[in-house]
Amino acid sequence: MNQTSSPEIVIGATSAFEAFDEFLSTHSFSRIFIVVDENTLRHCLPRLMHETANLEGAEIIELESGEENKVIDVCTQVWRVLGELGADRQSLVVNLGGGVITDLGGFVAATFKRGIAFVNVPTTLLAMIDAACGGKTGVDLDHLKNEVGVFAYPRRVYIDPYFLHTLPKRELLSGFAEACKHALIADAAYWELLCLTDPGNAEHWEHIIARSVEIKQAITDADPFEKDLRRILNFGHTIGHAFETYFLEQSQNTLLHGEAVAAGMICETLLSVKYAGLDEEVAAQITTQLARRFPVVNFDASAGERLVEIMRHDKKNADGKIKCSLLAGIGKPVAGVEVSAGDLIQVMNQYRLEFVI
Ligand SMILES: NC(=O)c1ccc[n+]([C@@H]2O[C@H](COP(=O)([O-])OP(=O)(O)OC[C@H]3O[C@@H](n4cnc5c(N)ncnc54)[C@H](O)[C@@H]3O)[C@@H](O)[C@H]2O)c1
Ligand SMILES: [Zn+2]
């Protein structure tokens, strides 16, 4: 049966794997399967195996990296391999990778034989503070992100910040956008800390990961099935997801999730002034900080209508209405604010004029 309560999350270089080893020694899994991609196979698997003796003998299932592989066909291949290798309901799946691996591997485990146990060992900053912890699993369908999936929590999440050493800087920055989101929706002091942090050269990842995980977990625990409160985690994501889908459609697959969300947060901060009473000076401080750190998302002036159409079809919206989670202040989120198409187009144009052109 799939786990329905939030998992224990252990963060710490080596201490995470001591805890994982202990977990494995106190559970008798019939077989263990480790899902990796070619990058985590090379950079992360040796350390995991070295630090976690009880993983000896585990089967490795290697997938091709990349969002384009987060699709049902790949799940089918993994379900087949699990079946062929004799996985049963007492088996364990370990997802070692970024959000693509934890989303897909979690979905595969949560649906195989109606659900077998899985553990996430996230290896990107984005997966550590977001994808691996919240209990959402799934895959994309025809360019629609996360269109098919289930809510299912991993049994445990083990986070070793050491893995960030080999992560490309662009990927690191993408995860940093989610940390900024956590700060903006929940904690002004954390936002101040992030404003002073150089993500390319940070020494306190463990602290950043811990604070972000704490914020995300407090919100998801209060609303595990995304009925209400959890929507505040969507700050920056209504517009951010539209950018992501738009770029996928244009086959300009060069936009990372965090890059799209950073641009989305800038636009939604501008909307917050009109729709949530956010102070203009605070809004300017937020947009300046975000624009300084994250690459601009460069889209055509004619893209506005299509972007709005994509937002209307977002699974989080209903009746053709577009809702955003905005900010009344730093740490003061307001969920479910209905926004007009005209204002969405206007802020996206403002973003283009101020930050792109
Ligand atoms: N389930 C959720 O709640 C949730 C939340 C946010 C994002 N997501 C999903 O997460 C996905 C994005 O995740 P991501 O940004 O981690 O991308 P990713 O999984 O594609 O990883 C990014 C790249 O880094 C490589 N990599 C991973 N760890 C590495 C390491 N330690 N060293 C070197 N290379 C490494 C990967 O092979 C890949 O090429 C998207 O599909 C998104 O929809 C899910
Ligand atoms: Zn996100």
Side-chain angles (χ1 to χ4, degrees):
M1 218 197 43
N2 287 326
Q3 168 131 340
T4 51
S5 59
S6 71
E8 183 184 316
I9 300 174
V10 185
I11 306 165
T14 61
S15 61
F17 296 135
E18 280 167 19
F20 191 11
D21 223 16
E22 167 83 21
F23 170 78
L24 291 171
S25 66
T26 53
H27 291 71
S28 45
F29 294 107
S30 57
R31 304 289 298 274
I32 301 177
F33 300 88
I34 306 178
V35 182
V36 294
D37 64 27
E38 72 280 8
N39 297 318
T40 61
L41 176 80
R42 175 161 167 237
H43 296 296
C44 309
L45 188 65
R47 179 172 167 86
L48 175 69
M49 296 306 282
H50 184 260
E51 301 289 330
T52 320
N54 282 301
L55 285 175
E56 204 189 318
E59 296 279 357
I60 310 301
I61 301 179
E62 184 189 344
L63 310 180
E64 220 175 296
S65 69
E67 182 73 26
E68 62 279 17
N69 296 305
K70 205 180 93 173
V71 290
I72 202 78
D73 287 354
V74 175
C75 297
T76 309
Q77 289 166 23
V78 184
W79 285 317
R80 285 214 178 94
V81 169
L82 287 173
E84 283 159 15
L85 293 176
D88 60 25
R89 293 183 73 177
Q90 275 65 53
S91 297
L92 175 73
V93 169
V94 178
N95 299 312
L96 178 68
V100 168
I101 293 292
T102 58
D103 272 14
L104 185 143
F107 177 65
V108 162
T111 47
F112 185 74
K113 294 188 191 284
R114 296 206 178 88
I116 65 173
F118 67 100
V119 160
N120 285 339
V121 182
T123 62
T124 65
L125 181 59
L126 187 97
M128 289 175 186
I129 64 173
D130 197 354
C133 304
K136 288 205 235 169
T137 71
V139 293
D140 305 336
L141 182 72
D142 302 336
H143 301 322
L144 290 173
K145 293 263 305 166
N146 308 320
E147 184 73 352
V148 177
V150 293
F151 284 100
Y153 282 110
R155 289 291 169 93
R156 298 282 190 281
V157 181
Y158 297 107
I159 302 178
D160 179 358
Y162 189 84
F163 286 142
L164 299 179
H165 282 107
T166 54
L167 190 66
K169 289 285 175 281
R170 190 176 165 204
E171 298 287 349
L172 196 68
L173 195 60
S174 172
F176 195 71
E178 294 286 355
C180 290
K181 179 196 77 179
H182 291 140
L184 287 169
I185 62 172
D187 183 347
Y190 183 36
W191 170 246
E192 294 307 319
L193 170 79
L194 294 183
C195 288
L196 299 172
T197 300
D198 170 8
N201 204 10
E203 279 161 16
H204 39 279
W205 281 125
E206 202 160 314
H207 172 71
I208 291 175
I209 294 163
R211 185 66 194 113
S212 269
V213 163
E214 210 169 51
I215 292 171
K216 171 140 188 183
Q217 212 172 19
I219 296 167
T220 48
D221 275 358
D223 177 23
F225 299 111
E226 201 166 37
K227 293 204 163 26
D228 186 27
L229 177 73
R230 188 170 171 151
R231 288 180 301 164
I232 64 176
L233 286 165
N234 291 331
F235 172 58
H237 281 61
T238 302
I239 297 179
H241 272 152
F243 285 141
E244 259 185 307
T245 304
Y246 181 78
F247 272 65
L248 275 174
E249 283 178 351
Q250 307 288 308
S251 305
Q252 293 172 282
N253 197 5
T254 51
L255 200 58
L256 299 183
H257 179 71
E259 293 168 353
V261 168
M265 288 194 290
I266 293 179
C267 295
E268 293 183 22
T269 298
L270 298 172
L271 281 176
S272 297
V273 175
K274 174 163 179 185
Y275 283 90
L278 179 67
D279 181 88
E280 274 188 49
E281 267 178 42
V282 177
Q285 190 261 354
I286 296 171
T287 56
T288 309
Q289 279 291 337
L290 294 173
R292 190 166 70 83
R293 272 154 200 282
F294 297 98
V296 289
V297 172
N298 196 349
F299 53 95
D300 291 343
S302 58
E305 296 288 339
R306 177 68 196 133
L307 285 160
V308 167
E309 203 178 300
I310 295 168
M311 289 179 230
R312 278 195 219 286
H313 289 102
D314 189 312
K315 59 186 168 301
K316 297 200 178 78
N317 290 316
D319 307 330
K321 291 180 180 151
I322 300 171
K323 292 188 175 169
C324 292
S325 291
L326 302 175
L327 298 176
I330 297 176
K332 296 194 179 79
V334 198
V337 182
E338 190 182 334
V339 179
S340 76
D343 285 327
L344 284 162
I345 291 177
Q346 192 265 319
V347 291
M348 290 189 292
N349 276 338
Q350 191 178 340
Y351 172 85
R352 281 188 70 255
L353 293 173
E354 271 184 46
F355 302 108
V356 182
I357 296 171

